Amino acid sequence: MTSESPPLGKYLASSDKKTRDKAVKQLATFFSTSENNALSELEIAKLWKGLFYCFWMSDKPRVQQDLAQELAELLLTITNILSSLSFLRGFWVTTVREWNGIDRLRMDKYYMLVRRFVSASFRLLIRAKWDPSALQEYTSILTNAGGPLCPTDVRVPTGLVFHLAEIYLEELEKALSASDSPTPVPILPLLSPFINLAASTLTSTTYKHLEESLFRPLLSDLQPRPSNPKKRSRVSGLECPTILSNACPDVPCADSPVLPSTLRETILQKIFAVASAEDTRDANRRKMYALYKVAVEDVDDKDSDG
């Protein structure tokens, strides 16, 4: 192995921990020092097969935590953002493909690995100041074939979708909070993969989880609080004040964020527009219309209280 080429998968998936550790370090060196560290799709696939099983064989909790962080940080080590996103695509394609083969005892550590990569992805986009082309590529990674939010890929595990919905804005909040002066976050492009999945999913439990874990809590957070405590929403919020105070609807963002009420209205308009699309499933369309109606009525109730 040399710093001029990435390590072979057999070293990353070695049964010997020292060999695996050395291979991961060498990969980080390759990504950080190579002027052109773009790899082909086949090279990335081979690399990620080795990395997946490198993580598979990590046993102790501290070792797992350190390795998950080390692998996710590779996204930020790569010197070219398009190469970073290609590496991210390899992660998601491999994760979706291998997920159903993960046994119960290993599942928690792979949930942790997913969380680390979601966090690193947001930090990468923040560093790029939400560059429109990078953001578009990021959302396509999530939604195209092999991605975790692809509405037409029956291989996508339900548990992975549920986990993403639960941690997505939480990790975005953490990434924004850790940034010194973040550019306002364009919320619609980041939410669109979930909204489109809600419109297309064939599984009622998936729709329900997206609405209850992501849409309703976010809309609740964005809603003005009535003075009467009895009128307050029963939906628990997501506790993401940095997002709420530093968001814009879409790219390119203005220099300053928009008001939460404006952001809420924009999200509701997006939900309504996707629900109205011709290819939205009828059962899902009714549920999305109902979500929209309840959210609008909540605002009307607040206005009448005032």
Side-chain angles (χ1 to χ4, degrees), residues 49-111:
K49 186 173 183 179
L51 287 170
F52 186 88
Y53 287 102
C54 176
F55 193 66
W56 178 282
M57 287 181 284
S58 60
D59 49 8
K60 298 178 182 179
R62 182 57 185 270
V63 171
Q64 295 166 5
Q65 293 168 18
D66 290 347
L67 182 56
Q69 189 65 32
E70 196 170 2
L71 295 181
E73 289 298 321
L74 290 173
L75 277 180
L76 298 158
T77 300
I78 298 172
T79 55
N80 179 284
I81 190 167
L82 292 181
S83 297
S84 293
L85 291 169
S86 295
F87 185 71
L88 178 63
R89 185 185 295 277
F91 164 74
W92 281 121
V93 169
T94 302
T95 300
V96 168
R97 185 185 65 240
E98 303 290 344
W99 190 266
N100 287 328
I102 301 173
D103 58 80
R104 180 179 57 84
L105 296 177
R106 287 184 171 91
M107 187 57 73
D108 283 348
K109 73 175 182 179
Y110 277 96
Y111 278 139

Side-chain angles (χ1 to χ4, degrees), residues 243-287:
I243 297 175
L244 301 185
S245 62
N246 193 47
C248 65
D250 208 340
V251 289
C253 285
D255 292 335
S256 58
V258 301
L259 293 173
S261 58
T262 303
L263 195 62
R264 187 177 192 271
E265 182 179 350
T266 304
I267 294 171
L268 284 172
Q269 289 172 352
K270 177 67 174 180
I271 290 173
F272 188 90
V274 172
S276 303
E278 186 176 342
D279 57 349
T280 295
R281 294 187 69 241
D282 287 341
N284 300 10
R285 189 194 323 278
R286 291 192 292 270
K287 294 172 185 175

